[in-house]
Amino acid sequence: MTSKTSWFSVSGSILRENFRRFWAIPVLAFLVYFLAGVFPILVNYRQLETRSYWISALLGNDNFFFMAAHLFFPVISAVVLFRFLQGASSVAMLHSMPFTRQRLFNSNFLSGLIMLLGPILLVALILLAISKPVYDGSALYGGAAFAENVFSSAAILSWLGESAIILGVVFAVAVFAGVVTGNVLMHFLFGLGFNFLLPGLYSVLTWYCGEYLFGFISRGPWAELGRSISPYINGLSDEHFSLAAILWYVFAFAALIVVSSLLYRRRKLERVGDPFTFNFLEPVIACLIAYLLMTLLGYYFGELTDDGQYVWAGYGLGAVLGFLIGQMIVKKSFRVFHRATLKGFCIYALIALVFFAFMLLDLTAFEKRVPELARVESATLESSWLDHSGVRTEDGEGGLRQPENLAAAVAFHQSVVENRQELKALEEETRLLLVYVELSESLGSDWGFYRSWRLPYPFVRDSEALKTIAESQEFKGRLQISGEGLEGFGLDYASLYNEQTGYGAVDIYGEEALAELVDCIIRDHEERTFEDMMSLSLPLCALDIVYSYKSEMASEGTVRSSHYVQVTEGSVHTIAWLEENGYGRYLGTDPASVFYATVSEVKDGVASYEEVYDDLFLYEGDYAYTKAAEPAPWTEEGNSASPVAPEPEEGLLVVTDTEEIAALLEMAESESIDRENYYYVHLVMAPFAEETEEGQAGLLAGETLNLYFHLNEDRVPDFVTEYFQ
């Protein structure tokens, strides 16, 4: 037999013998697939509409038993079919038989494929025979209903194809592991581990990029690439395999067969029992273990303290320990302290230093790249400060395409790049309030630019480029609470409450009143300024707009949902409507209801009031309870009760004047911009009570409400700055 034809030769006798010996594998696999997939469908066949989500998940391989079978049966099949390579007697016997290594390899590999693909093919045929239309028609997105047959022939065939790819590649990887290992335990462990090796290394690499490349984001195309490396990992996602991914899997499958076959031809039979049968794998495995342990200890030390020296100490310690442990594993000996090990570690250390140089010095110029405006086709901008909850665009895509917005996106990206050194330093200090901003610029067929930054609040607040984007109607989109596109839509009621004081809640009813209120909310959304979006001022009140719409999925035929809206100082139309309709008392805090306020100063991280100082360090500058917040004594005066303001102390300003309290409330902000320099304010006020029959507001005796906020930068009343001079 020539070498050319031996590449594809198969022995029928070996195939028959494998099926005779290992028939239990396909039988067990079929039972798992049948009991986990077909049987539940048959049991619920008359009411499959109620199982539409379950069927969709099943045929999308989002089923624990399916994915467990996709992993373990290929690995077990590879172990039992190539077990002869791990025993000295079986190796000697089979290789003395009158057939070539190539024919032996081909026959065993084909046997495994048939045993793996046969059960899922049989299950797919059964599913095709019992399939019928099952619609998931109640899903609503963007205000429009759509229906999809989740139990169609196309869905079943798609599951069959993706499952076959997963089983084939996992099996090929496990066969490769059997060729390069010398005992059954190592074969099984590495048969499993090699299937996750590349995705794992990719995840570690993206972690390093996120740590050391300013603006790197692991989502978007980077996440898609990482998910697509392994068909098994990709199968765990909700997305179907793309054409590019399928071509990659076919190539990887073919490459694994060729490489495994070539290595098997060159495998030395006397290496049976060794952890690895090829010497080139020993330094590779040792370096991989060193890389992973270096990363683990570096991350652990970094979580213990903000001191960067400890992080590098963790990297160094992890590299040394990892390389030694790796050497012990591949050598099966503790005697690894010799010159060869030192030489190997020096090579690894040099590679690690080059790797960190690429990250720290940005040798790939990742941080400096800015797309050419002429090539940018669309862009997206996301930030929690520019909230898009309940917002949809005309086309449902959410991308920016107007020329002025694309130019502004590129200009903002350029401004970040030009100031990146200063911005990176400020981010690491963690002193300033940081704003998360995510920006992507699509270049059509190319990957485009995907960046995320944690930027100082003043830098974002003062950006004219972001102001241009945020105030454009293209960016704002439309609020979904208009009800457009929802069948049977109806406004039920609106729940109104004061977020500052806890006043309420009160429910607003009436079809006409609700329609007017929603119209005001939408108008405020359309006219909202960038300054209002970025404002730190306390919200005046909040609204939950509750509405219903028809849905086939709901048992009663309708679904009730809600839309949350914060009413801020810029919500002029909503504020006017609330005041005109008698809900003005829910807007903000009435200075007349405040018994007293205490103000303390935090300057260069040091609090002027000792108790505040301790709490601020505990909560890192967020709201803290002061000594003045403790229950105060009460005095009875007629039919009302009021707490007694504490005596002024050093570093603590006590305010009781109504006009001064009004000034504090006017400049109140929810967070400190500079966590080491601001004023901390605590207000004690009367609780809210509904009006009595006599028309007078009642006071709940013995109770108070507390409000905490900050005063930032130049938004500080003169009497406060004068007191702390």
Side-chain angles (χ1 to χ4, degrees):
M1 181 177 296
T2 65
S3 176
K4 181 176 181 180
T5 58
S6 66
W7 272 93
F8 306 99
S9 62
V10 176
S11 171
S13 60
I14 295 177
L15 290 175
R16 289 190 295 272
E17 179 65 14
N18 285 336
F19 296 148
R20 184 189 67 81
R21 295 176 61 199
F22 307 121
W23 58 268
I25 292 177
V27 171
L28 288 175
F30 173 77
L31 288 176
V32 170
Y33 291 122
F34 182 85
L35 294 176
V38 178
F39 186 70
I41 292 177
L42 294 175
V43 171
N44 298 279
Y45 197 70
R46 292 185 178 181
Q47 48 185 6
L48 285 183
E49 289 75 13
T50 61
R51 300 291 187 270
S52 60
Y53 173 79
W54 183 85
I55 295 175
S56 177
L58 182 77
L59 296 180
N61 272 321
D62 189 14
N63 180 285
F64 172 79
F65 295 101
F66 272 24
M67 293 308 294
H70 287 353
L71 176 63
F72 285 99
F73 279 113
V75 174
I76 293 172
S77 298
V79 170
V80 299
L81 286 168
F82 288 86
R83 185 179 180 182
F84 68 91
L85 292 174
Q86 321 301 348
S89 58
S90 58
V91 164
M93 181 189 70
L94 283 176
H95 288 88
S96 65
M97 301 291 286
F99 40 71
T100 64
R101 288 194 182 189
Q102 189 63 54
R103 171 176 277 194
L104 183 59
F105 177 86
N106 292 347
S107 301
N108 282 287
F109 195 93
L110 183 60
S111 300
L113 283 183
I114 294 174
M115 289 191 295
L116 292 171
L117 299 183
I120 64 169
L121 178 60
L122 184 56
V123 168
L125 292 175
I126 297 174
L127 291 175
L128 287 171
I130 65 175
S131 64
K132 66 177 182 178
V134 178
Y135 293 100
D136 181 16
S138 62
L140 294 168
Y141 180 75
F146 67 90
E148 178 186 3
N149 181 7
V150 298
F151 199 21
S152 63
S153 299
I156 297 171
L157 293 176
S158 176
W159 169 80
L160 175 62
E162 292 185 2
S163 298
I165 291 174
I166 294 172
L167 290 170
V169 174
V170 172
F171 178 67
V173 171
V175 169
F176 170 80
V179 172
V180 300
T181 56
N183 60 68
V184 174
L185 178 61
M186 296 295 285
H187 183 184
F188 179 76
L189 294 177
F190 281 89
L192 291 173
F194 281 173
N195 277 286
F196 301 97
L197 179 61
L198 288 181
L201 291 176
Y202 181 85
S203 298
V204 173
L205 176 61
T206 56
W207 178 82
Y208 276 112
C209 291
E211 285 290 307
Y212 298 109
L213 293 181
F214 186 57
F216 181 85
I217 180 173
S218 59
R219 293 195 298 274
W222 298 106
E224 183 178 350
L225 175 61
R227 186 175 62 245
S228 299
I229 292 176
S230 165
Y232 187 82
I233 300 297
N234 204 356
L236 295 173
S237 68
D238 296 331
E239 302 294 330
H240 290 292
F241 293 175
S242 65
L243 178 60
I246 293 174
L247 294 176
W248 156 245
Y249 299 146
V250 171
F251 169 78
F253 177 76
L256 284 168
I257 295 176
V258 173
V259 171
S260 299
S261 178
L262 289 174
L263 290 176
Y264 175 48
R265 286 185 173 192
R266 290 160 176 77
R267 174 179 164 129
K268 295 180 180 180
L269 302 183
E270 63 270 18
R271 297 296 298 270
V272 171
D274 292 347
F276 299 99
T277 55
F278 293 91
N279 291 331
F280 73 86
L281 276 178
E282 294 182 357
V284 173
I285 297 299
C287 288
L288 287 176
I289 295 174
Y291 178 65
L292 295 177
L293 192 56
M294 177 184 75
T295 304
L296 180 62
L297 287 187
Y299 172 79
Y300 174 69
F301 281 29
E303 290 295 306
L304 293 178
T305 176
D306 294 330
D307 192 339
Q309 295 181 357
Y310 284 91
V311 175
W312 293 106
Y315 287 146
L317 180 61
V320 173
L321 291 179
F323 194 83
L324 290 175
I325 292 172
Q327 286 290 315
M328 293 176 186
I329 292 175
V330 299
K331 298 293 185 183
K332 292 196 306 182
S333 173
F334 292 106
R335 298 179 178 179
V336 295
F337 299 94
H338 44 68
R339 183 176 298 178
T341 301
L342 179 61
K343 179 181 177 181
F345 178 75
C346 289
I347 295 174
Y348 169 78
L350 179 61
I351 296 173
L353 289 175
V354 172
F355 172 77
F356 281 115
F358 268 87
M359 292 294 172
L360 297 174
L361 302 178
D362 190 26
L363 298 181
T364 61
F366 174 87
E367 299 177 356
K368 306 173 187 176
R369 296 197 199 109
V370 178
E372 297 179 9
L373 178 57
R375 298 182 59 201
V376 178
E377 296 183 0
S378 64
T380 59
L381 175 68
E382 295 183 16
S383 173
S384 58
W385 291 75
L386 308 175
D387 188 19
H388 263 63
S389 61
V391 176
R392 59 186 170 93
T393 57
E394 295 289 344
D395 56 10
E397 295 296 328
L400 303 172
R401 293 178 177 81
Q402 294 179 356
E404 58 271 23
N405 282 335
L406 296 181
V410 174
F412 177 71
H413 192 162
Q414 182 66 48
S415 67
V416 174
V417 169
E418 292 174 351
N419 297 278
R420 69 184 183 281
Q421 298 299 337
E422 178 184 357
L423 296 175
K424 287 171 67 175
L426 291 174
E427 179 187 18
E428 293 173 358
E429 286 183 8
T430 66
R431 192 188 78 182
L432 293 181
L433 173 63
L434 299 176
V435 178
Y436 177 82
V437 178
E438 184 175 320
L439 178 67
S440 67
E441 296 136 309
S442 174
L443 307 183
S445 59
D446 297 334
W447 264 29
F449 287 72
Y450 293 80
R451 301 289 188 271
S452 70
W453 304 282
R454 295 175 71 241
L455 304 171
Y457 171 81
F459 180 85
V460 177
R461 178 196 59 195
D462 300 335
S463 172
E464 290 297 324
L466 286 185
K467 177 180 173 66
T468 299
I469 296 174
E471 293 185 351
S472 68
Q473 292 303 314
E474 182 185 39
F475 178 81
K476 290 180 179 179
R478 301 199 313 273
L479 284 178
Q480 294 186 34
I481 57 173
S482 62
E484 182 180 348
L486 294 178
E487 183 182 358
F489 174 86
L491 294 169
D492 296 336
Y493 65 93
S495 182
L496 170 65
Y497 52 93
N498 189 307
E499 288 196 327
Q500 293 184 24
T501 62
Y503 282 9
V506 62
D507 294 332
I508 302 172
Y509 292 92
E511 182 178 348
E512 182 178 352
L514 291 172
E516 291 177 356
L517 177 59
V518 168
D519 180 65
C520 290
I521 293 172
I522 293 174
R523 288 165 62 190
D524 284 329
H525 170 75
E526 293 173 348
E527 299 173 9
R528 195 178 184 194
T529 64
F530 179 64
E531 288 76 13
D532 189 48
M533 299 177 196
M534 295 300 301
S535 174
L536 294 172
S537 298
L538 303 180
L540 301 179
C541 65
L543 286 159
D544 275 322
I545 309 298
V546 182
Y547 58 92
S548 301
Y549 57 88
K550 290 184 178 180
S551 172
E552 299 177 4
M553 202 171 174
S555 58
E556 299 180 356
T558 59
V559 172
R560 174 169 285 183
S561 186
S562 64
H563 182 85
Y564 173 77
V565 179
Q566 274 193 339
V567 179
T568 63
E569 295 176 350
S571 307
V572 292
H573 299 291
T574 305
I575 292 173
W577 188 92
L578 291 173
E579 290 178 340
E580 290 172 3
N581 289 270
Y583 300 104
R585 58 178 173 165
Y586 293 91
L587 297 171
T589 300
D590 182 6
S593 68
V594 178
F595 294 124
Y596 65 87
T598 62
V599 184
S600 58
E601 181 187 30
V602 178
K603 189 174 184 61
D604 296 327
V606 179
S608 61
Y609 192 62
E610 184 177 356
E611 280 74 9
V612 179
Y613 177 86
D614 294 336
D615 285 336
L616 288 174
F617 273 78
L618 178 62
Y619 295 104
E620 299 181 354
D622 289 331
Y623 300 150
Y625 289 91
T626 68
K627 183 178 179 180
E630 297 295 331
W634 291 79
T635 60
E636 293 292 339
E637 297 179 359
N639 295 324
S640 65
S642 62
V644 176
E647 294 295 327
E649 299 183 35
E650 183 179 356
L652 186 70
L653 170 63
V654 179
V655 183
T656 56
D657 182 77
T658 301
E659 292 185 0
E660 291 183 343
I661 290 174
L664 292 175
L665 288 169
E666 183 180 356
M667 299 181 181
E669 295 187 314
S670 58
E671 297 190 60
S672 57
I673 297 176
D674 184 342
R675 299 189 185 279
E676 294 186 0
N677 294 280
Y678 64 93
Y679 294 94
Y680 182 77
V681 183
H682 167 221
L683 265 63
V684 178
M685 68 193 79
F688 174 78
E690 295 290 346
E691 291 186 356
T692 62
E693 295 180 357
E694 292 76 16
Q696 299 175 349
L699 178 65
L700 303 179
E703 296 184 10
T704 58
L705 293 175
N706 297 291
L707 178 63
Y708 308 92
F709 55 83
H710 300 81
L711 302 175
N712 285 304
E713 297 180 338
D714 56 346
R715 289 176 55 85
V716 181
D718 292 338
F719 69 89
V720 174
T721 55
E722 291 173 0
Y723 179 85
F724 288 99
Q725 281 181 352

